[in-house]
Amino acid sequence: MAEEACCTCARLLSSISPQYDEKTEKPISQDRRLECCGRLICGNCIQDNPRFATYCPFCQVTSAPSPLPQGLRDPPAYSPPQSPKPQHASPASPNQDLPPSYTSLDSHPPAPEKATSQPFEDVLHFLNPSQDTIQSLSLRYNVPANAIRKTNSLYADNLLSARRTILIPGEFYKGGVSLSPRPLEGEEEELRKAKVRRWMVACKVSEYNLALIYLTQTAYDLDLAISAYKADEKWEKDNPLDQAANNSKGKNKAQQHNQGNKKKRFGIGGGITGQLS
């Protein structure tokens, strides 16, 4: 005959050592035979969980009074029961009018979307030479690669390695937020340096301080700074200075004066050889 086991801890009753009271030296809890299903719960499980003294965890019933429903219940049906057809309901006639369409009820046509008066600004992206490429930037910002090349005047993809920043066209990217980490100098400083370099290239000037002067006076407005330099350059061409001519005349007079002094001092010859002759 197979040995019985506890239905909660699944241990054989012969291998379970009962717990004894220190004073009376009797078992603290006795094994309980469940009346509903005939299973057996050991005294140690009843001692650990006193609820098992009156409750069956398999049949979910208790011998003590409880406000909870007793016994297992069948789960609800997946499909709701069909409701009986009311008596006053009559079958629809084939000549009954159909309900109106949704388009006929909508008297107000949808308002057209307002066109944005101000275009989105280009976003400055700080390049990472080891990761960023034209294709990766196109996928990251969801912008066509040709649009990135056109905005930054990149005629070849290998020119990207010589740059620190690149502009993402706002015409295609509406987010307005750069997806690259900010450098230590900040985005505004990088924008200023980029405008300085573009001004130097447009005006064909290699002096960095001169570029800073024009851009500072125009509050870093690139187009205004370029037009101001072109206007100054045109004015210098229309109004040339005679300083170079005056300098050459002054040098000639000084040379003639020095030669006259030498002649007076050393004679007609202007030196020792002249005096001896």
Side-chain angles (χ1 to χ4, degrees):
M1 184 176 179
E3 297 182 4
E4 286 188 308
C6 177
C7 63
T8 56
C9 63
R11 291 187 297 174
L12 295 175
L13 297 179
S14 60
S15 63
I16 298 175
S17 57
Q19 299 179 6
Y20 294 94
D21 191 0
E22 297 179 355
K23 296 181 179 179
T24 60
E25 296 183 356
K26 294 182 178 180
I28 298 176
S29 300
Q30 300 291 334
D31 298 340
R32 178 188 173 213
R33 177 74 64 178
L34 300 175
E35 298 176 358
C36 54
C37 58
R39 294 184 177 88
L40 193 140
I41 301 177
C42 64
N44 291 344
C45 293
I46 297 174
Q47 179 65 24
D48 296 336
N49 190 353
R51 187 185 180 192
F52 289 151
T54 58
Y55 180 75
C56 174
F58 293 92
C59 302
Q60 298 184 6
V61 294
T62 178
S63 58
S66 174
L68 298 177
Q70 300 296 316
L72 295 174
R73 293 184 178 181
D74 295 333
Y78 291 102
S79 60
Q82 297 181 359
S83 59
K85 188 175 182 180
Q87 297 179 358
H88 63 275
S90 59
S93 61
N95 298 327
Q96 189 176 2
D97 296 336
L98 297 175
S101 60
Y102 292 102
T103 56
S104 62
L105 297 177
D106 190 6
S107 59
H108 301 283
E113 297 182 358
K114 296 182 179 180
T116 56
S117 57
Q118 297 181 355
F120 290 90
E121 296 183 356
D122 297 341
V123 177
L124 183 66
H125 178 88
F126 300 95
L127 293 173
N128 186 357
S130 61
Q131 296 181 0
D132 291 337
T133 59
I134 296 294
Q135 288 73 18
S136 65
L137 294 174
S138 175
L139 293 174
R140 185 182 301 179
Y141 289 96
N142 196 16
V143 175
N146 292 331
I148 298 177
R149 296 188 185 98
K150 182 178 179 181
T151 304
N152 298 272
S153 300
L154 292 173
Y155 303 102
D157 293 351
N158 56 359
L159 298 177
L160 190 67
S161 59
R163 296 195 177 190
R164 296 180 58 188
T165 58
I166 195 172
L167 292 176
I168 305 300
E171 180 182 359
F172 299 93
Y173 178 64
K174 310 300 183 182
V177 179
S178 177
L179 302 181
S180 62
R182 295 291 187 274
L184 297 177
E185 297 179 353
E187 184 177 357
E188 295 182 358
E189 187 66 23
E190 288 293 332
L191 284 172
R192 292 175 183 174
K193 289 183 178 180
K195 289 182 179 180
V196 170
R197 290 192 293 267
R198 293 174 64 182
W199 185 93
M200 294 171 66
V201 172
C203 298
K204 299 180 181 180
V205 176
S206 60
E207 297 180 4
Y208 189 82
N209 294 331
L210 184 61
L212 286 178
I213 291 173
Y214 276 93
L215 288 171
T216 304
Q217 292 177 353
T218 57
Y220 282 87
D221 190 344
L222 183 61
D223 297 335
L224 187 60
I226 293 174
S227 60
Y229 177 80
K230 295 293 181 61
D232 293 345
E233 190 177 22
K234 182 180 179 182
W235 185 89
E236 290 180 358
K237 290 181 179 180
D238 297 340
N239 302 278
L241 298 177
D242 297 335
Q243 184 177 2
N246 294 332
N247 292 338
S248 62
K249 291 180 181 179
K251 290 181 180 180
N252 294 333
K253 290 180 179 180
Q255 291 178 358
Q256 292 176 2
H257 181 71
N258 292 334
Q259 290 179 0
N261 291 336
K262 289 181 180 179
K263 289 180 180 180
K264 290 179 181 179
R265 184 175 180 182
F266 296 105
I268 300 173
I272 299 176
T273 58
Q275 293 179 1
L276 293 177
S277 60

